[in-house]
Amino acid sequence: MDTMHHHVDEAAPTPVPRMPRWPFVVAAVALLLGVAVVILWPLKVPYFAMAPGPTEEVVDLLSVPDGVETHDPSGEFFLLTVGLREVNVFEYIEAQFDPKVSLIDRHVIRPEGVTQEEVTRTNLEAMDRSIDSAIFVALDRAGYDVGFTGEGAVVIETVEGAPADGVLLPDDVVDTVEGETVVLSDDAARVIREFEPGDTITLGGVRDGERFSVEITLVPHPDIEGAPMVGVLFDTKNLEMVLPVDIQIDSRNIGGPSAGITYTLALLDLLLEEDLSKGHRIASTGTIALDETVGPIGGVRQKVFAAKAIGAEYVLVPEANFDDALGAADGEIEIVSVATLDDALAFLRTLEPAPEAVAAP
């Protein structure tokens, strides 16, 4: 019997589709990036990022004793601050593209061997001195009797070959010159200037806890014709301001001296009958010295950005910072250059009252 064979074609196997490789590549890259971020994020680069900080309306920070005549300001003075933080590599890169942020070498903010706690303490002490100067200047301008007191003129150093060399010693405290009491270093200088070169004067004081008295023959001053010279650099021991009004300023734990001019202007706006702010929103920054000069500060660009953010109309800045401040203003806010308190007051007196300003009763 013939056997019949049925030929059956076997179907070709269906190919199994291959998984694309790119998801694995993406996942691997993401994993590596994640690991890199975890490893690198805590690592700081040697830079601080300086950015605009909080603003404060200054009148809220002032405390004036009962019985002192004050006048409610019609406008507002704002102090400006910057924020500082150490950055990692990612924050460093981000800061490169943010016009509001500046990168500063770490050693500029915190020199080698100085702890962050020491930097903070130094900045807070600078703020305290700034507050004292601002109160002194404002009270003086407002007509109060202000001054200084101390515990004598302490010797810092003597001029080699001068009459005082080897006679007066560093840390000696001179409290009398020719019988006149010396409270401040200026007192010693004033009394000495009453004599002529060739005169012999007696200086009394304290050395190592014991009283001493020395005689010194004055010589001509090499730089001031006709003036006498002892040849000593004095400073005042335990110099303190004498302020007739106990004004307090809450620093909000902000460090640095740059709010000095702002405190001064806000205090004057409060103490004087004259309306200085005239209903305007005014920001300012700069140190204030006892001679009423306004000194330069850091971070002026960031402070201008902060002033714009609160809708300030004007920013008063130290003369030395004017160009940098102008660059950050971008035409959105008026920058006013001031070198002295007189400059600031002169500008404020040119302002017309703001339309919405309401005179205080």
Side-chain angles (χ1 to χ4, degrees), residues 99 128 158 183 199 269:
D128 290 341
T158 57
V183 175
D199 291 342
D269 206 19

Side-chain angles (χ1 to χ4, degrees), residues 40-323:
L40 294 176
W41 191 269
L43 300 179
K44 302 297 184 182
V45 295
Y47 289 91
F48 275 80
M50 179 183 289
T55 58
E56 294 277 358
E57 186 184 356
V58 180
V59 72
D60 294 336
L61 310 179
L62 307 179
S63 176
V64 179
D66 293 339
V68 175
E69 183 180 0
T70 59
H71 307 272
D72 291 336
S74 63
E76 301 157 302
F77 283 102
F78 291 89
L79 68 84
L80 307 170
T81 69
V82 297
L84 282 171
R85 72 177 192 281
E86 288 190 86
V87 295
N88 58 34
V89 64
F90 305 104
E91 293 167 325
Y92 175 87
I93 294 170
E94 180 185 13
Q96 301 284 351
F97 301 96
D98 189 341
K100 297 180 181 178
V101 178
S102 297
L103 290 165
I104 304 172
D105 286 345
R106 180 191 293 157
H107 74 270
V108 174
I109 305 297
R110 192 180 70 226
E112 199 70 32
V114 177
T115 67
Q116 187 58 48
E117 290 74 18
E118 290 171 328
V119 171
T120 300
R121 184 172 64 252
T122 298
N123 285 335
L124 291 175
E125 290 171 352
M127 170 59 87
D128 290 341
R129 291 192 298 271
S130 176
I131 287 174
D132 288 343
S133 295
I135 294 172
F136 183 95
V137 170
L139 288 176
D140 188 37
R141 274 295 180 124
Y144 287 89
D145 185 16
V146 297
F148 296 93
T149 187
E151 298 178 6
V154 62
V155 175
I156 304 301
E157 62 180 344
T158 57
V159 177
E160 186 176 355
D165 188 22
V167 178
L168 292 175
L169 305 178
D171 297 327
D172 284 353
V173 178
V174 173
D175 55 21
T176 64
V177 175
E178 277 298 292
E180 288 198 42
T181 300
V182 169
V183 175
L184 308 172
S185 60
D186 285 350
D187 295 337
R190 174 183 53 78
V191 177
I192 291 168
R193 285 195 298 268
E194 295 174 357
F195 295 87
E196 303 287 338
D199 291 342
T200 298
I201 61 174
T202 302
L203 286 72
V206 178
R207 173 183 299 162
D208 297 329
E210 302 289 335
R211 295 291 309 175
F212 76 89
S213 178
V214 296
E215 291 188 347
I216 291 180
T217 300
L218 303 175
V219 296
H221 197 290
D223 301 318
I224 305 174
E225 186 176 355
M229 185 181 79
V230 170
V232 63
L233 175 62
F234 283 125
D235 197 3
T236 300
K237 181 181 180 181
N238 296 333
L239 178 69
E240 290 186 7
M241 294 179 181
V242 178
L243 303 175
V245 179
D246 184 22
I247 291 175
Q248 299 294 318
I249 298 179
D250 182 0
S251 71
R252 290 284 199 269
N253 217 30
I254 297 168
S258 63
I261 183 61
T262 315
Y263 289 141
T264 301
L265 293 174
L267 269 171
L268 287 174
D269 206 19
L270 193 65
L271 295 172
L272 298 178
E273 188 173 351
E274 179 183 7
D275 182 8
L276 295 178
S277 51
K278 298 177 183 174
H280 295 282
R281 293 171 68 85
I282 303 165
S284 58
T285 185
T287 65
I288 189 73
L290 296 177
D291 64 359
E292 300 187 350
T293 55
V294 178
I297 47 86
V300 72
R301 287 181 54 82
Q302 286 70 32
K303 291 174 181 178
V304 171
F305 283 119
K308 291 194 293 186
I310 60 168
E313 303 160 69
Y314 310 97
V315 186
L316 280 60
V317 303
E319 189 175 51
N321 297 116
F322 178 73
D323 290 341

